[in-house]
Amino acid sequence: MATGRVLVVDDDVTVSDVVRRYLERDGHHVVLAGTGEDALRLVDADRPDLVVLDLMLPGIDGVEVCRRLRGAIPVIMLTALGEEENRIAGLRLGADDYVTKPFSPRELALRVQSVLRRAAPRPTARELHDGDLRLDGTARTATLAGVELALTGREFDLLEFLMSHPGEAFTRAELLARVWGWDFGDQSTVTVHVRRLREKVERVPAAPSRISTVWGVGYRYDGVDR
């Protein structure tokens, strides 16, 4: 089981306490924050391994907190059912996952384990190459023309998966299952991450040559070397 230091940011004391107890039961060290300002201060003081972040916070809201973190730390968002715009904004800013309120604390705990596991170094991972795009699975870094790309953990996972299966088309549901580990979920999550990846690895994101759309199916990694 992957464990780590988790910062839980929610102004609802009851929700924070329930999440804390479930995460501590799984062996995580949990720190609580009730505002966006407190969250950013705690991140600066002692960087956590993961942030569970409510989007609707007093003062600095969760979307702004996510923007300031900029993918430096894995983020799982907590969103209400009617907050689709904020959820999409959070995913665009680099959040790795989301859970919709009301939520199952056990499901959230499993999502935390999944994100931490994927963020952990994998010493046996291989290097992948596609023209001037290089991906190092051990260091979990990717470079384009020698310049390191600012990828979130989930963007890295998606790019690694696609590059590992060149020429294969995957539906959004298949990508949710194989990259996110979700058996269900909003498939727009995949769409947002593909869009963000294209902005980082394609010469012309609107006319992609690496990550192709297969109409009626999903996405396929073609790459410049094919």
Side-chain angles (χ1 to χ4, degrees), residues 62-130:
V63 173
E64 176 62 17
V65 172
C66 194
R67 186 189 69 78
R68 296 193 190 185
L69 295 179
R70 285 289 184 188
I73 301 170
V75 172
I76 297 177
M77 299 181 299
L78 300 180
T79 72
L81 285 173
E83 294 173 3
E84 182 175 1
E85 263 188 42
N86 285 337
R87 175 172 55 78
I88 295 298
L91 290 171
R92 285 175 174 162
L93 288 169
D96 295 83
D97 207 340
Y98 74 92
V99 174
T100 302
K101 293 182 175 181
F103 61 87
S104 157
R106 189 65 225 149
E107 178 192 352
L108 175 59
L110 290 172
R111 296 285 181 93
V112 166
Q113 290 177 22
S114 173
V115 172
L116 286 174
R117 185 172 60 249
R118 290 178 182 280
R122 288 170 288 176
T124 59
R126 55 179 171 160
E127 292 190 3
L128 299 169
H129 307 270
D130 175 33

Coordinates of all heavy atoms in Angstrom, one line a residue, residues 62-130:
G62 N -10.1 26.8 -4.0 CA -9.3 25.7 -4.4 C -8.8 25.7 -5.8 O -7.7 25.2 -6.0
V63 N -9.5 26.3 -6.7 CA -9.0 26.5 -8.1 C -7.7 27.3 -8.1 O -6.7 27.0 -8.7 CB -10.0 27.1 -9.0 CG1 -9.4 27.4 -10.4 CG2 -11.2 26.1 -9.2
E64 N -7.7 28.4 -7.3 CA -6.5 29.2 -7.2 C -5.3 28.5 -6.5 O -4.2 28.6 -6.9 CB -6.8 30.5 -6.5 CG -5.6 31.5 -6.3 CD -5.0 32.0 -7.6 OE1 -5.6 31.9 -8.6 OE2 -3.8 32.4 -7.5
V65 N -5.7 27.8 -5.5 CA -4.6 26.9 -4.8 C -4.0 26.0 -5.8 O -2.8 25.8 -5.9 CB -5.2 26.2 -3.6 CG1 -4.2 25.2 -3.1 CG2 -5.6 27.1 -2.5
C66 N -4.9 25.3 -6.6 CA -4.4 24.4 -7.6 C -3.5 25.1 -8.6 O -2.5 24.6 -9.1 CB -5.6 23.7 -8.3 SG -5.2 22.3 -9.3
R67 N -3.9 26.3 -9.0 CA -3.1 27.0 -10.0 C -1.7 27.3 -9.5 O -0.7 27.2 -10.2 CB -3.8 28.3 -10.4 CG -3.1 29.1 -11.5 CD -3.7 30.5 -11.7 NE -3.4 31.4 -10.5 CZ -2.2 32.0 -10.4 NH1 -1.3 31.8 -11.2 NH2 -2.0 32.7 -9.3
R68 N -1.6 27.7 -8.2 CA -0.4 28.1 -7.6 C 0.5 26.8 -7.4 O 1.8 26.9 -7.5 CB -0.6 28.8 -6.3 CG -1.3 30.1 -6.4 CD -1.2 30.9 -5.2 NE -2.1 32.1 -5.2 CZ -2.1 33.0 -4.3 NH1 -1.4 33.0 -3.2 NH2 -3.0 34.1 -4.4
L69 N -0.1 25.7 -7.2 CA 0.7 24.5 -7.1 C 1.3 24.0 -8.4 O 2.3 23.4 -8.5 CB -0.1 23.3 -6.5 CG -0.5 23.6 -5.0 CD1 -1.4 22.4 -4.5 CD2 0.7 23.8 -4.1
R70 N 0.5 24.3 -9.5 CA 0.9 24.0 -10.9 C 1.5 22.7 -11.1 O 2.5 22.5 -11.8 CB 2.0 25.1 -11.3 CG 1.4 26.5 -11.6 CD 0.6 26.5 -12.8 NE 0.2 27.8 -13.2 CZ -0.7 28.1 -14.1 NH1 -1.2 27.1 -14.9 NH2 -1.1 29.3 -14.4
G71 N 0.9 21.6 -10.6 CA 1.3 20.3 -10.8 C 2.5 19.8 -10.1 O 3.0 18.7 -10.3
A72 N 3.0 20.7 -9.2 CA 4.2 20.3 -8.4 C 4.0 19.2 -7.4 O 4.8 18.5 -7.0 CB 4.8 21.6 -7.7
I73 N 2.7 19.1 -7.0 CA 2.3 18.1 -6.0 C 1.0 17.5 -6.5 O 0.1 18.2 -7.0 CB 2.0 18.8 -4.6 CG1 3.3 19.5 -4.1 CG2 1.5 17.7 -3.6 CD1 3.0 20.4 -2.9
P74 N 0.8 16.2 -6.4 CA -0.4 15.6 -6.8 C -1.6 16.1 -6.1 O -1.5 16.4 -4.9 CB -0.2 14.1 -6.5 CG 1.3 13.9 -6.5 CD 1.8 15.2 -6.0
V75 N -2.7 16.4 -6.8 CA -3.9 17.0 -6.1 C -5.1 16.1 -6.5 O -5.3 15.7 -7.6 CB -4.1 18.4 -6.7 CG1 -5.5 18.9 -6.2 CG2 -3.0 19.3 -6.2
I76 N -5.9 15.8 -5.5 CA -7.2 15.2 -5.7 C -8.3 16.3 -5.2 O -8.2 16.8 -4.1 CB -7.4 13.9 -4.8 CG1 -6.5 12.9 -5.3 CG2 -8.9 13.4 -5.0 CD1 -6.5 11.6 -4.5
M77 N -9.1 16.7 -6.1 CA -10.1 17.7 -5.9 C -11.4 17.1 -5.3 O -11.8 16.0 -5.6 CB -10.5 18.4 -7.1 CG -9.4 19.2 -7.8 SD -9.9 20.0 -9.3 CE -10.6 18.6 -10.3
L78 N -12.0 17.9 -4.3 CA -13.3 17.5 -3.8 C -14.3 18.6 -4.4 O -14.1 19.8 -4.2 CB -13.3 17.6 -2.3 CG -12.4 16.7 -1.5 CD1 -12.6 16.9 0.0 CD2 -12.7 15.2 -1.9
T79 N -15.2 18.1 -5.2 CA -16.2 19.0 -5.8 C -17.6 18.6 -5.5 O -17.9 17.5 -5.3 CB -16.0 19.0 -7.4 OG1 -16.5 17.8 -7.9 CG2 -14.5 19.2 -7.7
A80 N -18.5 19.6 -5.6 CA -19.9 19.4 -5.4 C -20.5 19.0 -6.8 O -19.9 19.3 -7.8 CB -20.6 20.6 -4.8
L81 N -21.7 18.4 -6.8 CA -22.2 18.0 -8.1 C -22.4 19.1 -9.1 O -22.2 18.9 -10.3 CB -23.6 17.3 -7.8 CG -23.6 16.0 -7.2 CD1 -25.0 15.5 -6.8 CD2 -23.0 14.9 -8.1
G82 N -22.7 20.3 -8.6 CA -22.9 21.4 -9.6 C -21.7 22.2 -9.9 O -21.8 23.3 -10.5
E83 N -20.5 21.7 -9.6 CA -19.3 22.5 -9.8 C -18.5 22.0 -11.0 O -17.3 22.0 -11.0 CB -18.4 22.4 -8.6 CG -19.0 23.1 -7.3 CD -18.2 22.9 -6.1 OE1 -17.1 22.2 -6.2 OE2 -18.6 23.3 -5.0
E84 N -19.2 21.6 -12.1 CA -18.5 21.1 -13.2 C -17.4 22.1 -13.8 O -16.3 21.7 -14.1 CB -19.4 20.7 -14.3 CG -18.7 20.0 -15.5 CD -19.7 19.5 -16.6 OE1 -20.9 19.6 -16.4 OE2 -19.2 18.9 -17.5
E85 N -17.8 23.3 -13.9 CA -16.9 24.3 -14.5 C -15.6 24.4 -13.6 O -14.5 24.4 -14.2 CB -17.5 25.7 -14.5 CG -18.1 26.1 -15.9 CD -18.6 27.5 -15.9 OE1 -17.8 28.4 -15.4 OE2 -19.6 27.8 -16.4
N86 N -15.7 24.4 -12.3 CA -14.6 24.5 -11.4 C -13.8 23.2 -11.5 O -12.5 23.2 -11.5 CB -15.0 24.7 -10.0 CG -15.4 26.1 -9.7 OD1 -15.0 27.1 -10.5 ND2 -16.2 26.4 -8.7
R87 N -14.5 22.1 -11.6 CA -13.7 20.8 -11.8 C -12.9 20.7 -13.0 O -11.7 20.4 -13.0 CB -14.7 19.6 -11.8 CG -14.1 18.3 -12.0 CD -15.1 17.1 -11.8 NE -16.2 17.3 -12.6 CZ -16.3 17.0 -13.9 NH1 -15.2 16.6 -14.5 NH2 -17.4 17.1 -14.6
I88 N -13.5 21.2 -14.2 CA -12.7 21.2 -15.4 C -11.6 22.2 -15.3 O -10.5 21.9 -15.8 CB -13.7 21.6 -16.6 CG1 -14.8 20.5 -16.8 CG2 -12.9 21.8 -17.9 CD1 -14.2 19.2 -17.2
A89 N -11.8 23.3 -14.7 CA -10.7 24.3 -14.5 C -9.6 23.7 -13.7 O -8.4 23.8 -14.0 CB -11.2 25.5 -13.8
G90 N -9.9 22.9 -12.6 CA -8.9 22.3 -11.8 C -8.1 21.2 -12.6 O -6.9 21.1 -12.5
L91 N -8.8 20.4 -13.4 CA -8.1 19.4 -14.2 C -7.2 20.1 -15.2 O -6.1 19.7 -15.5 CB -9.1 18.6 -14.9 CG -9.9 17.6 -14.1 CD1 -11.0 17.0 -14.9 CD2 -9.0 16.5 -13.4
R92 N -7.6 21.2 -15.8 CA -6.8 22.0 -16.7 C -5.6 22.5 -16.0 O -4.5 22.7 -16.7 CB -7.6 23.1 -17.4 CG -8.6 22.6 -18.4 CD -9.4 23.7 -19.0 NE -10.3 23.3 -20.1 CZ -11.3 23.9 -20.5 NH1 -11.7 25.1 -19.9 NH2 -12.0 23.5 -21.5
L93 N -5.7 22.9 -14.8 CA -4.6 23.4 -14.0 C -3.6 22.3 -13.5 O -2.6 22.6 -12.9 CB -5.1 24.3 -12.9 CG -5.7 25.6 -13.3 CD1 -6.4 26.3 -12.1 CD2 -4.6 26.5 -13.9
G94 N -4.0 21.0 -13.7 CA -3.1 20.0 -13.3 C -3.5 19.1 -12.2 O -2.7 18.2 -11.8
A95 N -4.8 19.2 -11.7 CA -5.2 18.2 -10.7 C -5.2 16.8 -11.3 O -5.4 16.6 -12.5 CB -6.6 18.6 -10.3
D96 N -4.8 15.8 -10.4 CA -4.7 14.5 -10.9 C -6.0 13.6 -10.8 O -6.1 12.7 -11.5 CB -3.6 13.8 -10.0 CG -2.2 14.4 -10.2 OD1 -2.0 15.4 -9.5 OD2 -1.5 13.9 -11.0
D97 N -6.9 14.0 -10.0 CA -8.1 13.2 -9.8 C -9.1 14.1 -9.1 O -8.8 15.2 -8.7 CB -7.7 12.0 -8.9 CG -8.7 10.8 -9.1 OD1 -9.8 11.0 -9.7 OD2 -8.3 9.7 -8.7
Y98 N -10.4 13.6 -9.1 CA -11.4 14.3 -8.3 C -12.4 13.4 -7.8 O -12.6 12.3 -8.3 CB -12.1 15.4 -9.3 CG -13.0 14.7 -10.3 CD1 -14.4 14.5 -10.0 CD2 -12.6 14.3 -11.5 CE1 -15.3 14.0 -10.9 CE2 -13.4 13.7 -12.4 CZ -14.8 13.5 -12.1 OH -15.6 13.0 -13.0
V99 N -13.1 13.8 -6.7 CA -14.1 13.0 -6.1 C -15.3 14.0 -5.9 O -15.1 15.1 -5.4 CB -13.7 12.4 -4.7 CG1 -14.8 11.7 -4.0 CG2 -12.5 11.4 -5.0
T100 N -16.5 13.6 -6.2 CA -17.7 14.4 -6.1 C -18.4 14.2 -4.8 O -18.6 13.1 -4.4 CB -18.6 14.1 -7.3 OG1 -17.9 14.3 -8.5 CG2 -19.8 15.0 -7.2
K101 N -18.7 15.4 -4.1 CA -19.5 15.3 -2.9 C -21.0 15.1 -3.2 O -21.4 15.7 -4.2 CB -19.3 16.7 -2.1 CG -17.9 16.9 -1.6 CD -17.9 18.2 -0.8 CE -16.6 18.4 -0.1 NZ -16.6 19.7 0.6
P102 N -21.7 14.4 -2.4 CA -21.2 13.6 -1.2 C -20.4 12.4 -1.7 O -20.7 11.8 -2.8 CB -22.5 13.2 -0.5 CG -23.5 13.2 -1.6 CD -23.1 14.3 -2.6
F103 N -19.4 12.0 -1.0 CA -18.5 11.0 -1.5 C -18.3 9.9 -0.4 O -18.6 10.1 0.8 CB -17.1 11.5 -1.9 CG -16.4 12.2 -0.7 CD1 -15.6 11.5 0.1 CD2 -16.5 13.6 -0.5 CE1 -14.9 12.1 1.2 CE2 -15.9 14.2 0.5 CZ -15.1 13.5 1.4
S104 N -17.9 8.8 -0.8 CA -17.5 7.7 0.1 C -16.1 7.9 0.6 O -15.2 8.0 -0.2 CB -17.6 6.3 -0.6 OG -16.8 5.4 0.1
P105 N -15.9 8.0 1.9 CA -14.5 8.2 2.4 C -13.6 7.1 2.0 O -12.4 7.3 1.8 CB -14.7 8.3 4.0 CG -16.1 8.7 4.1 CD -16.9 8.1 3.0
R106 N -14.2 5.9 1.9 CA -13.3 4.7 1.5 C -12.9 4.9 0.1 O -11.8 4.6 -0.3 CB -14.2 3.4 1.7 CG -13.4 2.2 1.5 CD -12.3 2.0 2.6 NE -11.0 1.6 2.1 CZ -9.9 2.0 2.6 NH1 -9.8 2.8 3.6 NH2 -8.7 1.6 2.1
E107 N -13.8 5.4 -0.8 CA -13.4 5.6 -2.2 C -12.3 6.6 -2.3 O -11.4 6.5 -3.0 CB -14.6 6.0 -3.0 CG -14.3 6.3 -4.5 CD -15.3 7.1 -5.2 OE1 -16.5 7.2 -4.7 OE2 -15.1 7.5 -6.4
L108 N -12.5 7.7 -1.5 CA -11.4 8.7 -1.5 C -10.1 8.2 -1.0 O -9.0 8.4 -1.6 CB -11.8 9.9 -0.6 CG -10.8 11.0 -0.4 CD1 -10.4 11.6 -1.7 CD2 -11.3 12.1 0.6
A109 N -10.1 7.3 0.0 CA -8.9 6.7 0.5 C -8.2 5.8 -0.6 O -7.0 5.8 -0.7 CB -9.2 5.9 1.7
L110 N -9.0 5.1 -1.4 CA -8.5 4.3 -2.5 C -7.9 5.2 -3.6 O -6.9 4.9 -4.2 CB -9.6 3.4 -3.0 CG -10.1 2.3 -2.1 CD1 -11.3 1.6 -2.7 CD2 -9.0 1.3 -1.8
R111 N -8.6 6.3 -3.8 CA -8.0 7.3 -4.8 C -6.7 7.8 -4.4 O -5.8 8.0 -5.2 CB -9.0 8.4 -5.1 CG -10.4 8.0 -5.7 CD -10.3 7.6 -7.2 NE -11.5 7.3 -7.7 CZ -12.4 8.1 -8.3 NH1 -12.1 9.4 -8.4 NH2 -13.5 7.6 -8.8
V112 N -6.6 8.1 -3.1 CA -5.3 8.6 -2.6 C -4.2 7.6 -2.8 O -3.1 7.9 -3.2 CB -5.5 9.0 -1.1 CG1 -4.1 9.2 -0.4 CG2 -6.3 10.2 -0.9
Q113 N -4.5 6.3 -2.4 CA -3.5 5.3 -2.6 C -3.1 5.2 -4.1 O -1.9 5.0 -4.4 CB -4.1 3.9 -2.2 CG -4.2 3.8 -0.7 CD -4.9 2.5 -0.3 OE1 -4.8 1.5 -1.0 NE2 -5.5 2.5 0.9
S114 N -4.1 5.3 -5.0 CA -3.8 5.1 -6.4 C -2.9 6.2 -6.9 O -1.9 6.0 -7.6 CB -5.1 5.1 -7.2 OG -4.9 5.2 -8.6
V115 N -3.2 7.5 -6.5 CA -2.4 8.6 -7.0 C -1.0 8.5 -6.4 O 0.0 8.7 -7.1 CB -3.1 9.9 -6.6 CG1 -2.1 11.1 -6.9 CG2 -4.4 10.1 -7.4
L116 N -0.9 8.2 -5.1 CA 0.5 8.1 -4.5 C 1.3 7.0 -5.2 O 2.5 7.1 -5.4 CB 0.3 7.8 -3.0 CG -0.1 9.0 -2.2 CD1 -0.3 8.6 -0.7 CD2 1.0 10.1 -2.2
R117 N 0.6 5.8 -5.5 CA 1.3 4.7 -6.1 C 1.8 5.1 -7.5 O 3.0 4.8 -7.8 CB 0.4 3.5 -6.2 CG 1.0 2.3 -6.7 CD 0.1 1.1 -6.6 NE -1.1 1.3 -7.4 CZ -2.3 1.4 -6.8 NH1 -2.5 1.4 -5.5 NH2 -3.4 1.6 -7.5
R118 N 1.0 5.8 -8.2 CA 1.4 6.2 -9.6 C 2.5 7.3 -9.5 O 3.3 7.4 -10.5 CB 0.2 6.7 -10.4 CG -0.7 5.6 -10.7 CD -2.0 6.2 -11.5 NE -2.9 5.1 -11.8 CZ -2.8 4.3 -12.8 NH1 -1.8 4.4 -13.6 NH2 -3.7 3.3 -13.0
A119 N 2.6 8.1 -8.5 CA 3.6 9.1 -8.4 C 4.9 8.6 -7.9 O 5.9 9.3 -8.0 CB 3.1 10.2 -7.4
A120 N 4.9 7.4 -7.3 CA 6.2 6.8 -6.7 C 7.1 6.4 -7.8 O 6.7 6.0 -8.9 CB 5.8 5.6 -5.9
P121 N 8.4 6.6 -7.6 CA 9.4 6.2 -8.6 C 9.4 4.7 -8.9 O 9.1 3.9 -8.0 CB 10.8 6.6 -8.0 CG 10.4 7.5 -6.9 CD 9.1 7.2 -6.4
R122 N 9.6 4.3 -10.2 CA 9.6 2.9 -10.5 C 10.9 2.6 -11.2 O 11.2 2.9 -12.3 CB 8.4 2.7 -11.5 CG 7.1 2.7 -10.9 CD 6.0 2.7 -11.9 NE 5.9 4.0 -12.6 CZ 5.1 4.2 -13.6 NH1 4.3 3.2 -14.0 NH2 5.0 5.4 -14.2
P123 N 11.8 2.0 -10.4 CA 13.2 1.8 -10.8 C 13.3 0.9 -12.1 O 14.3 0.9 -12.8 CB 13.9 1.1 -9.6 CG 12.8 0.6 -8.8 CD 11.6 1.5 -9.0
T124 N 12.3 0.1 -12.3 CA 12.4 -0.8 -13.5 C 11.8 -0.2 -14.8 O 11.7 -0.8 -15.8 CB 11.7 -2.2 -13.2 OG1 10.3 -1.9 -12.9 CG2 12.4 -2.9 -12.1
A125 N 11.3 1.0 -14.6 CA 10.6 1.7 -15.8 C 11.6 1.9 -16.9 O 12.8 2.2 -16.7 CB 9.9 2.9 -15.4
R126 N 11.1 1.9 -18.1 CA 12.0 2.1 -19.3 C 12.0 3.5 -19.8 O 11.2 4.3 -19.4 CB 11.6 1.1 -20.4 CG 10.1 1.3 -20.8 CD 9.7 0.4 -21.9 NE 8.3 0.5 -22.1 CZ 7.7 0.1 -23.2 NH1 8.5 -0.4 -24.2 NH2 6.4 0.1 -23.4
E127 N 12.9 3.8 -20.7 CA 12.9 5.0 -21.5 C 12.2 4.9 -22.8 O 12.3 3.8 -23.4 CB 14.4 5.5 -21.7 CG 15.1 5.9 -20.5 CD 16.4 6.6 -20.8 OE1 16.7 6.8 -22.0 OE2 17.2 6.9 -19.8
L128 N 11.4 5.9 -23.1 CA 10.7 5.9 -24.4 C 11.1 7.1 -25.2 O 11.4 8.1 -24.7 CB 9.2 5.9 -24.1 CG 8.6 4.8 -23.3 CD1 7.2 5.1 -22.9 CD2 8.6 3.5 -24.1
H129 N 11.2 6.8 -26.6 CA 11.7 7.9 -27.5 C 10.7 8.0 -28.6 O 10.2 7.0 -29.1 CB 13.1 7.5 -28.0 CG 14.1 7.2 -26.9 ND1 14.9 8.2 -26.4 CD2 14.4 6.0 -26.3 CE1 15.7 7.6 -25.5 NE2 15.4 6.3 -25.4
D130 N 10.5 9.3 -29.0 CA 9.7 9.5 -30.2 C 10.3 10.8 -30.8 O 9.9 11.9 -30.4 CB 8.2 9.7 -29.9 CG 7.4 10.1 -31.2 OD1 7.8 9.7 -32.3 OD2 6.4 10.8 -31.0

